[in-house]
Amino acid sequence: MTILHIDSSINGNTSASREVSGSIVNQLKGALWGEEVVYRDLAANPLPHLTLEAFADTRTLDEFMAADTIVIGAPMYNFTVPSQLKAWIDRIVIAGATFRYTENGPEGLAKGKRVIIAIARGGIYSEGSPTAAFEHVETYLRGVFNMIGIEPEFVVAEGVNLSPEHRVAAIENALGETIRLAA
Ligand SMILES: Cc1cc2nc3c(=O)[nH]c(=O)nc-3n(C[C@H](O)[C@H](O)[C@H](O)COP(=O)(O)O)c2cc1C
């Protein structure tokens, strides 16, 4: 079993999404046996913006396809994912590889993988909140992974910038959720 662990926060070791994604990987490693973890830090080693020529390089796609479980740290930057993570997505959502067009619409070809996403948001965007319509991390990533045949799972730490107390509580709550994921 191979776990692909992706981080995309620019906040180094103060990052909430890195703390939660790391905890998810640790929980999975504790629950499983013999799995290999491949780690990609998209902030430390960014992929360039997509170009036509870049389609010829399938290393990122191959690494994704070789993984059974993918754990992603996804902070909210300006209402959506960091451009570092978008550049990674541009290399894995590929017609003919991870989805194909059919007469009935697109069909996902990456079925069977488990994708777990650790989201960190400075404000509150959960359902029913006044700013819920500005949430384009969870909704976007659900759409991306549904497109390629995967129903992603989410662990969310939100409101981390509201106050230091709120930050601690939101991260602790998310870390508690990670225990449930490995059960
Ligand atoms: C460049 C930048 C843009 C941000 N944009 C938003 C935003 O649109 N909405 C929000 O609620 N928080 C925003 N934040 C706050 C982050 O979502 C919050 O700090 C979160 O913890 C980031 O995850 P990280 O700690 O893993 O980097 C932004 C932070 C940065 C650095």
Side-chain angles (χ1 to χ4, degrees):
M1 298 284 280
T2 301
I3 298 172
L4 175 60
H5 180 190
I6 306 274
D7 272 325
S8 57
S9 166
I10 61 172
N11 284 321
N13 55 16
T14 65
S15 154
S17 64
R18 283 174 187 268
E19 186 171 351
V20 178
S21 75
S23 172
I24 294 169
V25 171
N26 284 337
Q27 296 292 341
L28 294 176
K29 276 164 59 182
L32 303 170
W33 184 84
E35 69 288 340
E36 182 200 350
V37 179
V38 176
Y39 183 61
R40 290 288 159 227
D41 186 336
L42 298 175
N45 297 296
L47 293 162
H49 284 170
L50 188 64
T51 57
L52 269 184
E53 294 71 36
F55 281 114
D57 180 354
T58 62
R59 280 175 296 177
T60 303
L61 174 65
D62 294 344
E63 190 169 75
F64 171 75
M65 290 308 278
D68 305 287
T69 300
I70 298 96
V71 177
I72 302 172
M76 175 185 272
Y77 292 163
N78 299 315
F79 307 116
T80 188
V81 297
S83 54
Q84 289 90 338
L85 184 54
K86 175 62 165 58
W88 181 83
I89 290 165
D90 287 339
R91 279 144 175 106
I92 64 148
V93 182
I94 308 285
T98 48
F99 77 95
R100 66 184 174 130
Y101 294 107
T102 74
E103 285 177 0
N104 302 320
E107 181 194 354
L109 301 175
K111 297 183 184 104
K113 296 182 188 300
R114 186 176 188 196
V115 171
I116 309 173
I117 301 170
I119 294 179
R121 307 192 280 242
I124 304 276
Y125 298 82
S126 46
E127 221 180 310
S129 68
T131 46
F134 295 95
E135 204 294 319
H136 304 298
V137 179
E138 189 171 337
T139 49
Y140 169 66
L141 291 172
R142 180 173 286 111
V144 162
F145 285 105
N146 283 179
M147 174 83 174
I148 62 173
I150 297 167
E151 192 59 57
E153 300 160 63
F154 294 95
V155 179
V156 180
E158 74 168 354
V160 298
N161 289 356
L162 296 185
S163 70
E165 295 76 23
H166 209 106
R167 179 184 173 90
V168 169
I171 294 174
E172 268 181 12
N173 183 53
L175 293 176
E177 283 283 295
T178 69
I179 295 166
R180 182 184 53 79
L181 285 171

